[in-house]
Every structure is written in C-alpha cells, then in structure tokens.
Amino acid sequence: MATIKDIAVSAGVSSATVSRILNNDNTLNVSPETRQKVLDTAHSLNYKKKSRASGKSVYTLGIVQWFSPQQEMEDNYYLLIRQGIEDFCMQNCIHVVRTYKADVNYMDSLKNVDALICVGKFSTGEIRRFREMTSAIIFLDMPINDINTSTITLDFEHAINTGMDYLTSLGHRKIGFLGGKEYLADQTLFPDTRKNLFIKYCEKYHILYKPYIQEESFTIESGYQMMQKLLESDDVPTALIASSDPIAFGALHALSDKGIRVPQDISIIGFDDTSLSSFTSPPLTTIHAPAYDMGSFGANIVFNILRQHPATAMKIQLPCQLMERQSCRKL
C-alpha cells in the first residue's frame, strides 16, 4: 500500500506537504498546481489511508460532461458548471477524473470513482450504468423524476415568466422564441422546458407568438440562421427571447447584417448571462443562470453523501435573475 512518503517522492514535495494537503490544511501556502499534483499522485498510487487527526480520506470524483471539450468552450454555461465542481474539489482535496461523452471508452475511466457528477442530458441506459458505478451520484441540469436520485436544475418557470413580464411591461405583444433541440444518446428529443413555458405564458396572456418560433441548436450559427428565417417574412416580432446567449449572439449579428437596430427596431433577451453578454453591441439583456453555483453545490452534495450516507435524495431548483442591460426598449 502506498504511503505519504511514496507520494512525496513521486510528486517531488516533502512528506509534510503531502500530509497537510491530504488533510485539507487551508493554512498551507502552496500553489493550486502543486496541490492538484499531490492529489493526482495519491490517486495514481491508490492511496486510501485515512488521517488519524481528521478521519478524512482522499475521495475520487468523476465528472461526466455530455458535451465535447470543443462544445464546452463554445458555450461556457457547461464550462462554468465544471469550474464550480473543480474549485470545490480543489478546496476539499478531492481528486477529479474528468470525462466527456465524446471520449473513446469514457466509461472505463470512471470505474474506480467514489462519487459521480453527471452534467447535461443522459439517456435511461446511461443513467442506469452510472448508478451501477456508485450510489453517490447527482445529475446537474437534468430533471429526473426518480425520488431516489439527487438533481440540481434551474427554475425555468420563474425565469421565463420574469423575462416575459419584462417584455410585456415594455409594451411588446408580438414576441418570438429562438430555441435549440437536444437529443439523448438514444436519439430521443429532450424537450426544452423554456419553449413550453414560453408558449404557456403567451397563450395565457394572449401574446402573438406562433409565427415567430424557431428551433435549431444552441449555437451562434443557429441563432444567426434562425434570425435570418424570421426576417424573410414581412411580419416580424417586436421582441425575442433566446434560450441561450450564443443563440442571442447569432441573432444580434443577423440583425446587424440587415441593418436592423437593437433595441430601436427589435428587443432581445438572452439566457445564461455568459461573460460575453456584457460586451455585445448593444450589451445583452439576459437571464442569469447560476451555472458556477450549480457545479459547486453539486460537488458539495456528493461530498456529503460520501461522508454521511443520507437516506434521502435532494431535488434542488436554483433561481435565475434578469440582468437588464441595453438590448430591450419600451414601445
């Protein structure tokens, strides 16, 4: 069995440093890179010995991203979730095994994890396989009806209602929706809750919307193409809600290419509040999704599952907030 000295020799640090890192000593002045190197080395050497002082052990947490690394970089909503997870793990000396569904044989790298965080949308078969790996598991950004499975999702109903209340308070009665389609591994179309709630709101308050719905994918290119399709008609909405900031970015570009001014000619709201939304022209009014907090909370929950083994799963919805900037105006 590997010892602290073995880890120290392999990582190129002192035994005292290894001991303090493995015991989560926050007073230790060491770089994040060194801390992660020690945790990685402990994992590779299969170190499992508990600290007598604290009773803590080195846990290994697997992160499964349903996006590819390239898609994650293009839509930093999921990147922020992962950063929230990894920051919590860094602070609590939890070793991280990061995988993407796009990786070859990605399931193999998760065989020895103690806990699992699944980020995104997964099929029934995939969920079953994840549960077979560990009982310490949570799904982020995907509602699962099973009462024994912990999940964290966004409160889409309040978010969409807030966005629509804002647009209607500005006098808009012709409102469009630009959405994206998401497919599971078994090619099942995962329903966009935001679209359904948008339609529900419009029908309740007699908002004209049917000619103004477009759905493709959650990318800037799709936002551009969907906006172009809406502009082919002489009848265009006075306002739009996009189901992601990248879609809204594409729509803004398409409107600019046609010489249509935002917000003078059309108002637009995004969804996510990515870092770029403050720097578009004009700055994008959007709905803030607490992606980083979702990741941090998720890691905290599975950490406590490992330590306390609670009998009850958790179903958490995080609130979203409207970030009013300059892409909407009163009619």
Side-chain angles (χ1 to χ4, degrees):
M1 180 180 292
T3 65
I4 286 179
K5 184 176 180 180
D6 295 330
I7 299 170
V9 170
S10 182
V13 298
S14 69
S15 297
T17 297
V18 172
S19 178
R20 292 176 69 182
I21 289 175
L22 296 183
N23 285 292
N24 198 21
D25 185 348
N26 294 325
T27 65
L28 177 63
N29 185 16
V30 66
S31 70
E33 292 77 15
T34 299
R35 188 180 295 273
Q36 187 62 49
K37 184 178 182 180
V38 168
L39 293 175
D40 289 344
T41 302
H43 174 71
S44 64
L45 295 177
N46 197 30
Y47 178 81
K48 294 293 184 182
K49 185 178 179 180
K50 292 185 177 180
S51 163
R52 293 179 181 177
S54 64
K56 295 179 181 178
S57 62
V58 177
Y59 294 117
T60 299
L61 171 68
I63 304 175
V64 185
Q65 284 271 39
W66 84 309
F67 270 7
S68 68
Q70 180 180 353
Q71 289 172 314
E72 184 188 58
M73 292 303 297
E74 292 173 353
D75 185 349
N76 72 353
Y77 171 74
Y78 286 107
L79 176 62
L80 286 171
I81 292 177
R82 178 168 63 79
Q83 288 176 342
I85 297 169
E86 293 182 345
D87 285 353
F88 179 90
C89 291
M90 182 74 71
Q91 295 163 8
N92 291 276
C93 296
I94 302 170
H95 176 70
V96 172
V97 175
R98 183 197 312 159
T99 62
Y100 299 87
K101 281 184 57 178
D103 296 344
V104 177
N105 299 324
Y106 75 96
M107 287 281 192
D108 292 342
S109 61
L110 301 171
K111 288 182 178 178
N112 297 316
V113 300
D114 299 300
L116 198 57
I117 297 182
C118 305
V119 184
K121 313 301 190 301
F122 300 93
S123 67
T124 302
E126 289 170 323
I127 293 172
R128 182 177 62 253
R129 293 178 67 186
F130 293 145
R131 285 173 172 161
E132 291 171 354
M133 293 179 179
T134 177
S135 59
I137 186 170
I138 191 168
F139 290 83
L140 307 185
D141 199 50
M142 180 179 183
I144 297 177
N145 291 329
D146 180 11
I147 62 171
N148 297 312
T149 302
S150 293
T151 61
I152 302 180
T153 55
L154 299 177
D155 187 350
F156 283 137
E157 183 168 10
H158 180 264
I160 292 298
N161 288 346
T162 298
M164 291 297 288
D165 284 346
Y166 178 66
L167 289 177
T168 55
S169 73
L170 297 177
H172 296 282
R173 308 296 297 180
K174 295 168 60 177
I175 303 175
F177 181 87
L178 304 181
K181 294 182 179 180
E182 297 176 319
Y183 292 90
L184 305 182
D186 59 7
Q187 297 307 306
T188 300
L189 176 63
F190 192 84
D192 187 351
T193 304
R194 283 162 291 201
K195 174 191 170 185
N196 296 333
L197 291 167
F198 167 80
I199 293 174
K200 179 181 177 181
Y201 185 101
C202 290
E203 292 184 343
K204 180 177 180 179
Y205 294 104
H206 308 292
I207 306 297
L208 181 60
Y209 73 94
K210 288 184 179 179
Y212 315 127
I213 289 186
Q214 294 285 331
E215 283 186 288
E216 289 188 16
S217 62
F218 288 87
T219 64
I220 293 175
E221 293 79 10
S222 286
Y224 186 91
Q225 293 164 4
M226 288 187 284
M227 193 69 249
Q228 281 188 318
K229 289 179 181 178
L230 282 182
L231 295 176
E232 291 173 358
S233 170
D234 293 333
D235 182 20
V236 296
T238 63
L240 290 165
I241 282 189
S243 56
S244 75
D245 280 355
I247 289 176
F249 299 157
L252 286 171
H253 191 182
L255 291 165
S256 178
D257 283 352
K258 292 291 186 180
I260 298 174
R261 301 168 302 167
V262 177
Q264 293 89 338
D265 301 321
I266 188 169
S267 295
I268 185 167
I269 292 179
F271 200 110
D272 286 342
D273 191 26
T274 61
S275 57
L276 293 177
S277 60
S278 297
F279 300 98
T280 56
S281 182
L284 181 67
T285 294
T286 186
I287 297 170
H288 175 75
Y292 181 90
D293 291 340
M294 180 183 289
S296 180
F297 294 161
N300 196 338
I301 288 171
V302 293
F303 188 36
N304 280 284
I305 291 174
L306 286 169
R307 293 187 300 173
Q308 300 178 11
H309 306 288
T312 303
M314 300 185 70
K315 302 289 188 183
I316 299 174
Q317 277 195 334
L318 300 181
C320 301
Q321 180 181 359
L322 181 70
M323 307 300 293
E324 186 177 350
R325 297 193 179 103
Q326 299 170 31
S327 63
C328 299
R329 78 170 183 94
K330 189 172 184 178
L331 288 182

